Short mmCIF file of all heavy atoms in Angstrom, two decimals:
data_model
loop_
_atom_site.label_atom_id
_atom_site.label_comp_id
_atom_site.label_asym_id
_atom_site.label_seq_id
_atom_site.Cartn_x
_atom_site.Cartn_y
_atom_site.Cartn_z
N LYS A 1281 0.85 -1.18 0.00
CA LYS A 1281 0.00 0.00 0.00
C LYS A 1281 0.89 1.24 0.00
O LYS A 1281 2.08 1.18 0.35
CB LYS A 1281 -0.90 0.04 1.25
CG LYS A 1281 -1.87 -1.13 1.37
CD LYS A 1281 -3.04 -0.99 0.44
CE LYS A 1281 -4.15 -1.98 0.78
NZ LYS A 1281 -3.73 -3.37 0.67
N VAL A 1282 0.30 2.36 -0.36
CA VAL A 1282 0.99 3.64 -0.25
C VAL A 1282 0.02 4.64 0.37
O VAL A 1282 -1.12 4.77 -0.07
CB VAL A 1282 1.51 4.13 -1.62
CG1 VAL A 1282 0.39 4.31 -2.64
CG2 VAL A 1282 2.29 5.42 -1.46
N ALA A 1283 0.46 5.29 1.45
CA ALA A 1283 -0.35 6.29 2.14
C ALA A 1283 0.09 7.68 1.70
O ALA A 1283 1.26 7.91 1.43
CB ALA A 1283 -0.23 6.12 3.64
N PHE A 1284 -0.86 8.60 1.65
CA PHE A 1284 -0.54 9.97 1.26
C PHE A 1284 -1.62 10.89 1.81
O PHE A 1284 -2.68 10.45 2.25
CB PHE A 1284 -0.44 10.11 -0.26
CG PHE A 1284 -1.70 9.78 -1.01
CD1 PHE A 1284 -2.56 10.79 -1.42
CD2 PHE A 1284 -2.04 8.47 -1.30
CE1 PHE A 1284 -3.73 10.49 -2.10
CE2 PHE A 1284 -3.20 8.16 -1.99
CZ PHE A 1284 -4.05 9.17 -2.39
N VAL A 1285 -1.32 12.20 1.81
CA VAL A 1285 -2.26 13.19 2.29
C VAL A 1285 -2.62 14.13 1.15
O VAL A 1285 -1.74 14.65 0.45
CB VAL A 1285 -1.69 14.00 3.47
CG1 VAL A 1285 -2.67 15.11 3.88
CG2 VAL A 1285 -1.42 13.10 4.66
N SER A 1286 -3.92 14.35 0.97
CA SER A 1286 -4.41 15.35 0.03
C SER A 1286 -4.72 16.62 0.80
O SER A 1286 -5.44 16.58 1.80
CB SER A 1286 -5.69 14.85 -0.68
OG SER A 1286 -5.43 13.69 -1.42
N SER A 1287 -4.18 17.75 0.34
CA SER A 1287 -4.40 19.04 1.01
C SER A 1287 -5.13 19.99 0.08
O SER A 1287 -4.86 20.04 -1.12
CB SER A 1287 -3.07 19.67 1.44
OG SER A 1287 -2.46 18.93 2.47
N SER A 1288 -6.04 20.78 0.66
CA SER A 1288 -6.77 21.76 -0.14
C SER A 1288 -5.88 22.95 -0.46
O SER A 1288 -4.86 23.19 0.19
CB SER A 1288 -8.02 22.22 0.62
OG SER A 1288 -7.67 22.85 1.83
N ARG A 1289 -6.30 23.71 -1.45
CA ARG A 1289 -5.50 24.84 -1.90
C ARG A 1289 -5.26 25.85 -0.79
O ARG A 1289 -4.18 26.45 -0.70
CB ARG A 1289 -6.20 25.51 -3.08
CG ARG A 1289 -5.44 26.68 -3.70
CD ARG A 1289 -6.24 27.31 -4.81
NE ARG A 1289 -5.53 28.42 -5.44
CZ ARG A 1289 -6.05 29.21 -6.37
NH1 ARG A 1289 -7.30 29.01 -6.78
NH2 ARG A 1289 -5.35 30.18 -6.90
N ASP A 1290 -6.25 26.04 0.10
CA ASP A 1290 -6.11 27.01 1.19
C ASP A 1290 -5.54 26.40 2.46
O ASP A 1290 -5.47 27.06 3.49
CB ASP A 1290 -7.45 27.67 1.49
CG ASP A 1290 -8.54 26.65 1.86
OD1 ASP A 1290 -8.21 25.45 2.04
OD2 ASP A 1290 -9.70 27.06 1.97
N HIS A 1291 -5.13 25.13 2.41
CA HIS A 1291 -4.52 24.43 3.54
C HIS A 1291 -5.49 24.21 4.71
O HIS A 1291 -5.04 23.87 5.80
CB HIS A 1291 -3.27 25.16 4.06
CG HIS A 1291 -2.10 25.10 3.14
ND1 HIS A 1291 -1.36 23.96 2.94
CD2 HIS A 1291 -1.55 26.05 2.34
CE1 HIS A 1291 -0.39 24.21 2.07
NE2 HIS A 1291 -0.50 25.46 1.70
N LYS A 1292 -6.76 24.39 4.50
CA LYS A 1292 -7.71 24.23 5.61
C LYS A 1292 -8.15 22.78 5.81
O LYS A 1292 -8.63 22.41 6.88
CB LYS A 1292 -8.95 25.11 5.38
CG LYS A 1292 -8.67 26.60 5.41
CD LYS A 1292 -9.94 27.40 5.20
CE LYS A 1292 -9.65 28.89 5.10
NZ LYS A 1292 -9.13 29.46 6.34
N VAL A 1293 -8.01 21.95 4.78
CA VAL A 1293 -8.47 20.57 4.84
C VAL A 1293 -7.33 19.63 4.45
O VAL A 1293 -6.68 19.83 3.42
CB VAL A 1293 -9.68 20.32 3.93
CG1 VAL A 1293 -10.15 18.88 4.03
CG2 VAL A 1293 -10.82 21.29 4.25
N ALA A 1294 -7.09 18.62 5.27
CA ALA A 1294 -6.09 17.59 4.97
C ALA A 1294 -6.76 16.23 5.13
O ALA A 1294 -7.40 15.97 6.15
CB ALA A 1294 -4.88 17.71 5.90
N THR A 1295 -6.59 15.36 4.13
CA THR A 1295 -7.21 14.04 4.15
C THR A 1295 -6.14 12.97 3.99
O THR A 1295 -5.43 12.96 2.97
CB THR A 1295 -8.25 13.89 3.03
OG1 THR A 1295 -9.21 14.96 3.13
CG2 THR A 1295 -8.97 12.56 3.13
N LEU A 1296 -6.02 12.11 4.98
CA LEU A 1296 -5.08 10.99 4.91
C LEU A 1296 -5.73 9.85 4.17
O LEU A 1296 -6.83 9.41 4.52
CB LEU A 1296 -4.68 10.55 6.32
CG LEU A 1296 -3.77 9.33 6.43
CD1 LEU A 1296 -2.43 9.56 5.75
CD2 LEU A 1296 -3.57 8.92 7.88
N ARG A 1297 -5.04 9.33 3.14
CA ARG A 1297 -5.59 8.29 2.28
C ARG A 1297 -4.58 7.16 2.12
O ARG A 1297 -3.38 7.35 2.30
CB ARG A 1297 -5.95 8.86 0.90
CG ARG A 1297 -7.10 9.85 0.96
CD ARG A 1297 -7.32 10.60 -0.33
NE ARG A 1297 -8.65 11.17 -0.37
CZ ARG A 1297 -9.00 12.24 -1.05
NH1 ARG A 1297 -8.08 12.89 -1.76
NH2 ARG A 1297 -10.23 12.69 -1.03
N VAL A 1298 -5.08 6.00 1.74
CA VAL A 1298 -4.21 4.87 1.45
C VAL A 1298 -4.67 4.25 0.14
O VAL A 1298 -5.88 4.10 -0.10
CB VAL A 1298 -4.21 3.84 2.60
CG1 VAL A 1298 -5.59 3.24 2.81
CG2 VAL A 1298 -3.18 2.76 2.36
N ALA A 1299 -3.72 3.93 -0.74
CA ALA A 1299 -4.04 3.42 -2.07
C ALA A 1299 -3.47 2.03 -2.27
O ALA A 1299 -2.40 1.69 -1.73
CB ALA A 1299 -3.50 4.36 -3.14
N ASP A 1300 -4.17 1.23 -3.06
CA ASP A 1300 -3.69 -0.07 -3.49
C ASP A 1300 -2.93 0.13 -4.80
O ASP A 1300 -3.55 0.50 -5.81
CB ASP A 1300 -4.87 -1.02 -3.68
CG ASP A 1300 -4.43 -2.44 -4.01
OD1 ASP A 1300 -3.40 -2.61 -4.69
OD2 ASP A 1300 -5.13 -3.40 -3.61
N PRO A 1301 -1.63 -0.09 -4.84
CA PRO A 1301 -0.86 0.19 -6.05
C PRO A 1301 -1.18 -0.74 -7.21
O PRO A 1301 -0.85 -0.42 -8.36
CB PRO A 1301 0.59 0.03 -5.59
CG PRO A 1301 0.52 -0.89 -4.43
CD PRO A 1301 -0.77 -0.60 -3.75
N ALA A 1302 -1.79 -1.87 -6.93
CA ALA A 1302 -2.12 -2.81 -8.00
C ALA A 1302 -3.41 -2.44 -8.71
O ALA A 1302 -3.54 -2.61 -9.93
CB ALA A 1302 -2.22 -4.23 -7.44
N THR A 1303 -4.39 -1.93 -7.97
CA THR A 1303 -5.70 -1.63 -8.54
C THR A 1303 -6.00 -0.15 -8.67
O THR A 1303 -6.87 0.25 -9.45
CB THR A 1303 -6.81 -2.27 -7.68
OG1 THR A 1303 -6.81 -1.63 -6.39
CG2 THR A 1303 -6.57 -3.76 -7.51
N GLY A 1304 -5.33 0.68 -7.90
CA GLY A 1304 -5.62 2.11 -7.89
C GLY A 1304 -6.74 2.49 -6.95
O GLY A 1304 -7.10 3.67 -6.86
N ASP A 1305 -7.29 1.53 -6.21
CA ASP A 1305 -8.35 1.84 -5.25
C ASP A 1305 -7.80 2.70 -4.13
O ASP A 1305 -6.69 2.48 -3.64
CB ASP A 1305 -8.95 0.56 -4.67
CG ASP A 1305 -9.75 -0.22 -5.71
OD1 ASP A 1305 -10.21 0.40 -6.69
OD2 ASP A 1305 -9.91 -1.45 -5.54
N VAL A 1306 -8.61 3.67 -3.69
CA VAL A 1306 -8.19 4.63 -2.65
C VAL A 1306 -9.22 4.62 -1.52
O VAL A 1306 -10.43 4.63 -1.77
CB VAL A 1306 -8.06 6.05 -3.22
CG1 VAL A 1306 -7.70 7.05 -2.13
CG2 VAL A 1306 -7.02 6.08 -4.33
N ARG A 1307 -8.71 4.60 -0.29
CA ARG A 1307 -9.58 4.63 0.90
C ARG A 1307 -9.18 5.79 1.78
O ARG A 1307 -8.00 6.00 2.08
CB ARG A 1307 -9.45 3.30 1.65
CG ARG A 1307 -10.25 3.21 2.93
CD ARG A 1307 -10.37 1.74 3.38
NE ARG A 1307 -9.09 1.06 3.39
CZ ARG A 1307 -8.31 0.96 4.47
NH1 ARG A 1307 -8.67 1.53 5.61
NH2 ARG A 1307 -7.18 0.28 4.41
N ASP A 1308 -10.17 6.59 2.21
CA ASP A 1308 -9.91 7.70 3.13
C ASP A 1308 -9.85 7.19 4.56
O ASP A 1308 -10.77 6.50 5.02
CB ASP A 1308 -11.00 8.76 3.02
CG ASP A 1308 -10.95 9.51 1.70
OD1 ASP A 1308 -10.05 9.22 0.89
OD2 ASP A 1308 -11.80 10.39 1.49
N LEU A 1309 -8.78 7.56 5.27
CA LEU A 1309 -8.61 7.13 6.66
C LEU A 1309 -9.00 8.21 7.66
O LEU A 1309 -9.65 7.93 8.66
CB LEU A 1309 -7.15 6.72 6.92
CG LEU A 1309 -6.61 5.51 6.19
CD1 LEU A 1309 -5.16 5.27 6.58
CD2 LEU A 1309 -7.45 4.27 6.50
N LEU A 1310 -8.58 9.45 7.39
CA LEU A 1310 -8.71 10.50 8.40
C LEU A 1310 -8.79 11.85 7.69
O LEU A 1310 -8.12 12.09 6.69
CB LEU A 1310 -7.49 10.46 9.33
CG LEU A 1310 -7.45 11.31 10.59
CD1 LEU A 1310 -6.54 10.64 11.62
CD2 LEU A 1310 -6.93 12.71 10.31
N ARG A 1311 -9.62 12.72 8.23
CA ARG A 1311 -9.77 14.06 7.67
C ARG A 1311 -9.68 15.09 8.79
O ARG A 1311 -10.32 14.92 9.83
CB ARG A 1311 -11.12 14.18 6.94
CG ARG A 1311 -11.46 15.59 6.44
CD ARG A 1311 -12.88 15.59 5.91
NE ARG A 1311 -13.37 16.93 5.63
CZ ARG A 1311 -13.34 17.52 4.45
NH1 ARG A 1311 -12.80 16.88 3.42
NH2 ARG A 1311 -13.84 18.73 4.28
N GLU A 1312 -8.88 16.13 8.58
CA GLU A 1312 -8.79 17.22 9.54
C GLU A 1312 -9.10 18.52 8.84
O GLU A 1312 -8.52 18.84 7.79
CB GLU A 1312 -7.41 17.28 10.20
CG GLU A 1312 -7.24 18.45 11.13
CD GLU A 1312 -6.65 18.07 12.49
OE1 GLU A 1312 -6.52 16.86 12.78
OE2 GLU A 1312 -6.32 18.98 13.26
N GLU A 1313 -10.02 19.29 9.39
CA GLU A 1313 -10.41 20.57 8.84
C GLU A 1313 -10.25 21.64 9.91
O GLU A 1313 -10.70 21.47 11.04
CB GLU A 1313 -11.86 20.53 8.35
CG GLU A 1313 -12.28 21.77 7.59
CD GLU A 1313 -13.61 21.60 6.88
OE1 GLU A 1313 -14.14 20.48 6.88
OE2 GLU A 1313 -14.10 22.59 6.31
N VAL A 1314 -9.57 22.74 9.56
CA VAL A 1314 -9.29 23.80 10.53
C VAL A 1314 -9.75 25.13 9.96
O VAL A 1314 -9.96 25.28 8.75
CB VAL A 1314 -7.79 23.86 10.88
CG1 VAL A 1314 -7.33 22.56 11.50
CG2 VAL A 1314 -6.96 24.17 9.64
N ALA A 1315 -9.89 26.11 10.84
CA ALA A 1315 -10.37 27.42 10.42
C ALA A 1315 -9.27 28.26 9.79
O ALA A 1315 -9.55 29.18 9.01
CB ALA A 1315 -10.96 28.16 11.61
N THR A 1316 -8.02 27.97 10.11
CA THR A 1316 -6.90 28.78 9.60
C THR A 1316 -6.12 27.99 8.55
O THR A 1316 -6.47 28.01 7.39
CB THR A 1316 -5.98 29.20 10.76
OG1 THR A 1316 -5.61 28.03 11.53
CG2 THR A 1316 -6.70 30.18 11.68
N GLN A 1317 -5.06 27.31 8.96
CA GLN A 1317 -4.27 26.47 8.06
C GLN A 1317 -3.82 25.23 8.82
O GLN A 1317 -3.39 25.33 9.98
CB GLN A 1317 -3.03 27.21 7.53
CG GLN A 1317 -3.33 28.24 6.47
CD GLN A 1317 -2.06 28.71 5.78
OE1 GLN A 1317 -0.96 28.50 6.25
NE2 GLN A 1317 -2.21 29.34 4.63
N TYR A 1318 -3.90 24.08 8.16
CA TYR A 1318 -3.39 22.87 8.77
C TYR A 1318 -1.95 22.65 8.32
O TYR A 1318 -1.66 22.64 7.12
CB TYR A 1318 -4.22 21.64 8.41
CG TYR A 1318 -3.58 20.36 8.92
CD1 TYR A 1318 -3.69 20.02 10.26
CD2 TYR A 1318 -2.82 19.54 8.09
CE1 TYR A 1318 -3.09 18.87 10.75
CE2 TYR A 1318 -2.21 18.40 8.57
CZ TYR A 1318 -2.35 18.07 9.90
OH TYR A 1318 -1.74 16.94 10.39
N GLU A 1319 -1.05 22.48 9.28
CA GLU A 1319 0.32 22.11 9.01
C GLU A 1319 0.63 20.86 9.83
O GLU A 1319 0.20 20.74 10.98
CB GLU A 1319 1.29 23.22 9.39
CG GLU A 1319 1.16 24.47 8.54
CD GLU A 1319 2.12 25.57 8.97
OE1 GLU A 1319 2.13 25.89 10.18
OE2 GLU A 1319 2.84 26.09 8.11
N SER A 1320 1.38 19.94 9.25
CA SER A 1320 1.64 18.68 9.94
C SER A 1320 2.95 18.68 10.70
O SER A 1320 3.40 17.64 11.16
CB SER A 1320 1.67 17.52 8.93
OG SER A 1320 2.75 17.67 8.04
N GLY A 1321 3.56 19.85 10.85
CA GLY A 1321 4.81 19.93 11.59
C GLY A 1321 5.55 21.19 11.23
O GLY A 1321 5.06 22.02 10.46
N GLN A 1322 6.73 21.35 11.80
CA GLN A 1322 7.52 22.55 11.55
C GLN A 1322 8.66 22.30 10.59
O GLN A 1322 8.98 23.15 9.76
CB GLN A 1322 8.05 23.09 12.88
CG GLN A 1322 6.95 23.53 13.83
CD GLN A 1322 7.49 24.16 15.09
OE1 GLN A 1322 8.69 24.35 15.25
NE2 GLN A 1322 6.61 24.47 16.01
N THR A 1323 9.30 21.15 10.69
CA THR A 1323 10.43 20.86 9.80
C THR A 1323 10.22 19.58 8.99
O THR A 1323 11.03 19.26 8.13
CB THR A 1323 11.74 20.72 10.60
OG1 THR A 1323 11.56 19.72 11.62
CG2 THR A 1323 12.10 22.04 11.28
N ALA A 1324 9.14 18.86 9.25
CA ALA A 1324 8.85 17.62 8.52
C ALA A 1324 7.39 17.27 8.73
O ALA A 1324 6.74 17.76 9.66
CB ALA A 1324 9.74 16.47 9.00
#
């Protein structure tokens, strides 16, 4: 599998997803929505 995060243009919404590399199927695991900007860390 390969996990990745989709972020909105304004950085307010981040969705953690996991994909099956053989079929291309994608499953949403977690979604975080904030009023300002979502950042997942300071240096990484």
Side-chain angles (χ1 to χ4, degrees):
K1281 298 284 193 298
V1282 59
F1284 61 98
V1285 175
S1286 298
S1287 292
S1288 62
R1289 182 182 181 186
D1290 57 9
H1291 289 288
K1292 294 181 185 295
V1293 181
T1295 306
L1296 176 62
R1297 293 170 161 153
V1298 63
D1300 185 326
T1303 65
D1305 290 337
V1306 177
R1307 177 164 49 94
D1308 290 359
L1309 294 180
L1310 189 154
R1311 173 187 170 95
E1312 176 132 352
E1313 188 168 354
V1314 299
T1316 52
Q1317 285 192 344
Y1318 173 78
E1319 293 178 309
S1320 66
Q1322 297 184 5
T1323 55

